[in-house]
Amino acid sequence: MDDCRALNDLSDDEARAALTRCCGSARWVDRMLQARPFPSRGELFEAASRHWNALDVADWDEAFSHHPRIGDPAAASKSTATWAANEQAGAARSADDVRAAIAEGNRAYEAKFGRIYLVCATGKTGEELLAILRARLGNDAAEELRVAVGEQEKITRLRLEKILSP
């Protein structure tokens, strides 16, 4: 259990706060707290995925609502602002026209799908994020929800890894 000590050794309140930084779904956090302690990273990641994929649309939307828009990491909650800024660094370094196009695309996405454009932005440039956004605007609602759920799962995994890292 040593490789999950950073999470397993936290009090319930501390673990709740840490897990909420990874995924904003209260139901997911509750299920992850009930699953502690985690014997290994593999079992932690498996539980995170299993519990995430067993949720419903309301839970997913709750998690999505905890993210700032792409290109606006300053809007993140205080507890995730640094992570969001690092994850969205590629968008922040983009030219003004790319940032403006992302903002316009965010508005179009929200109008079409009723939720923020969620993408695992880590390591992606603003141009890549814009291309992904434009491509996803062509999805129907069911396909786009499936894609967004997968993107949140990637973000959650990366953030769990941050908690486990010294």
Side-chain angles (χ1 to χ4, degrees), residues 100-154:
I102 289 172
E104 181 182 321
N106 281 335
R107 288 187 292 276
Y109 185 98
E110 290 171 22
K112 181 173 182 177
F113 297 114
R115 63 179 57 93
I116 68 159
Y117 161 55
L118 185 71
V119 63
C120 185
T122 300
K124 293 178 179 70
T125 66
E127 291 81 2
E128 289 172 312
L129 294 167
L130 179 58
I132 294 166
L133 171 56
R134 287 178 171 160
R136 286 175 52 188
L137 280 167
N139 289 343
D140 65 28
E143 173 64 10
E144 184 50 34
L145 177 61
R146 187 191 67 72
V147 171
V149 166
E151 293 298 302
Q152 173 66 57
E153 188 170 6
K154 290 176 200 174

Side-chain angles (χ1 to χ4, degrees), residues 21-60:
R21 288 180 71 198
C22 297
C23 177
S25 164
R27 185 173 295 167
W28 179 84
V29 170
D30 288 342
R31 290 177 180 178
M32 291 297 289
L33 287 170
Q34 292 170 2
R36 284 193 323 152
F38 298 101
S40 68
R41 285 175 181 256
E43 290 180 63
L44 167 66
F45 298 140
E46 185 281 324
S49 179
R50 179 172 27 88
H51 292 307
W52 173 248
N53 286 291
L55 298 177
D56 61 27
V57 175
D59 298 313
W60 294 329

Side-chain angles (χ1 to χ4, degrees), residues 37-105:
F38 298 101
S40 68
R41 285 175 181 256
E43 290 180 63
L44 167 66
F45 298 140
E46 185 281 324
S49 179
R50 179 172 27 88
H51 292 307
W52 173 248
N53 286 291
L55 298 177
D56 61 27
V57 175
D59 298 313
W60 294 329
D61 280 335
E62 179 185 21
F64 302 159
S65 75
H66 284 249
H67 291 274
R69 288 177 181 87
I70 293 295
D72 189 17
S77 70
K78 218 175 188 182
S79 67
T80 61
T82 301
W83 283 355
N86 289 336
E87 291 162 356
Q88 294 191 27
R93 288 190 299 264
S94 298
D96 290 345
D97 63 325
V98 173
R99 288 195 313 273
I102 289 172
E104 181 182 321

